[in-house]
Amino acid sequence: MPTEGFAPAKVNLSLHVTGQRADGYHLLDSLVVFADVGDRLTAEAADALSLQVKGPRAEGVPNGPENLVLRAARLLDPDRGARLVLDKHLPAAAGIGGGSSDAAAALRVLARLWDLPLPAAEATAVLGADVPVCLDARPRRMAGIGDLLSEVPPLPPAWLVLVNPGVAVSTPAVFRALASKDGAPMPEVPACADAATFAAFLLGLRNDLEPPARTLQPQVSEVLAALGAQTGCLLARMSGSGATCFGLFAAEAPARGAAAALAAAAAGWWVQAARMLPAPGQDTRATT
């Protein structure tokens, strides 16, 4: 029987750039959540390690050693084999941690298949800044170069509408275009009774990569305007280094309505309504 795992979309509700190390790595302070849309990974025992990529977003995704799934497998054990199949539904290089979440899913799946312990989260940062937070997909505050994780109070029920216009935004180019690299860190995340209160807190935060991304790729501004114009949208912001943007909604019905309207208005956009995943054991069923 194959061993299966889910790789949910990662969303940066905020992303403050607070400094840059001597080695060039940027220091971040970000509130990260996950959505109930994503990729799926299956693994079966095999003598050699291999990867097949399929699904609606498989085109252009490499299946060689540069793929983070295979790099994660070799980090866990450099010698064992497995037949891996990645069912790709998230757009690649889109600011929602698709490759990093896939790598984290590979670590979880292969640890079960090979009966090995998971590596410490900070040890997985060698695979990418988002991999540590994706290893245990729950709301977290992510700082440093992605290796410093801290818990946040339970977040209220909420829905997200994720929109990617199908354009590439180069992460290195966005960081190069960043006017200031020593922004103030986030304040402490408060306990919020509902999505509206939570959105009011988020409005005081920022994604420092959004302004340069808008300059480099004007379609980001177009997406944000379209999201912000939807009924029930409490906040519209870019995730990560883009180009995916999100709208925050209090409930499922307005989120799905907004997603349907956006998909109909812009046929080339990738649009998904998704529930914001709570911490394990937390009951945060949003109203409809």
Side-chain angles (χ1 to χ4, degrees), residues 59-262:
E59 185 177 356
V61 178
N63 61 1
E66 69 274 30
N67 190 293
L68 279 177
V69 167
L70 293 179
R71 289 178 57 196
R74 287 298 173 235
L75 177 69
L76 189 62
D77 191 300
D79 300 316
R80 298 200 197 199
R83 185 180 300 107
L84 298 165
V85 179
L86 176 62
D87 188 9
K88 194 74 184 156
H89 290 259
L90 299 178
I96 50 176
S100 296
S101 194
D102 293 342
L107 291 169
R108 294 192 300 269
V109 166
L110 290 172
R112 295 198 304 270
L113 182 70
W114 293 338
D115 194 23
L116 293 173
L118 278 173
E122 60 269 19
T124 68
V126 296
L127 298 171
D130 285 335
V131 178
V133 76
C134 291
L135 193 61
D136 181 10
R138 65 174 72 200
R140 296 276 188 86
R141 184 172 181 169
M142 178 181 76
I145 59 170
D147 56 336
L148 303 177
L149 304 178
S150 57
E151 301 298 325
V152 296
L155 303 183
W159 278 70
L160 301 165
V161 175
L162 305 177
V163 181
N164 185 285
V167 297
V169 178
S170 165
T171 298
V174 168
F175 274 105
R176 284 196 299 270
L178 186 61
S180 174
K181 299 184 178 182
D182 58 353
M186 287 170 38
E188 291 298 316
V189 179
C192 296
D194 52 40
T197 306
F198 185 45
F201 165 71
L202 293 175
L203 284 168
L205 308 183
R206 61 189 191 272
N207 181 345
D208 288 334
L209 301 184
E210 187 179 301
R214 284 176 181 251
T215 300
L216 292 168
Q217 186 46 264
Q219 281 202 46
V220 172
S221 294
E222 184 182 347
V223 169
L224 288 168
L227 271 167
Q230 298 303 309
T231 300
C233 182
L234 302 172
L235 169 75
R237 181 170 286 161
M238 190 181 80
S239 177
S241 58
T244 303
C245 301
F246 68 89
L248 181 71
F249 293 78
E252 178 178 3
R256 293 203 182 279
L262 290 165

Side-chain angles (χ1 to χ4, degrees), residues 46-68:
D47 293 333
L49 185 66
S50 65
L51 174 64
Q52 175 192 355
V53 184
K54 65 176 188 177
R57 288 280 161 172
E59 185 177 356
V61 178
N63 61 1
E66 69 274 30
N67 190 293
L68 279 177

Side-chain angles (χ1 to χ4, degrees), residues 12-36:
N12 299 91
L13 297 182
S14 66
L15 199 164
H16 295 206
V17 179
T18 60
Q20 186 174 17
R21 302 193 320 191
D23 59 8
Y25 282 97
H26 291 85
L27 301 175
L28 310 175
D29 193 7
S30 177
L31 178 57
V32 175
V33 297
F34 293 86
D36 69 352

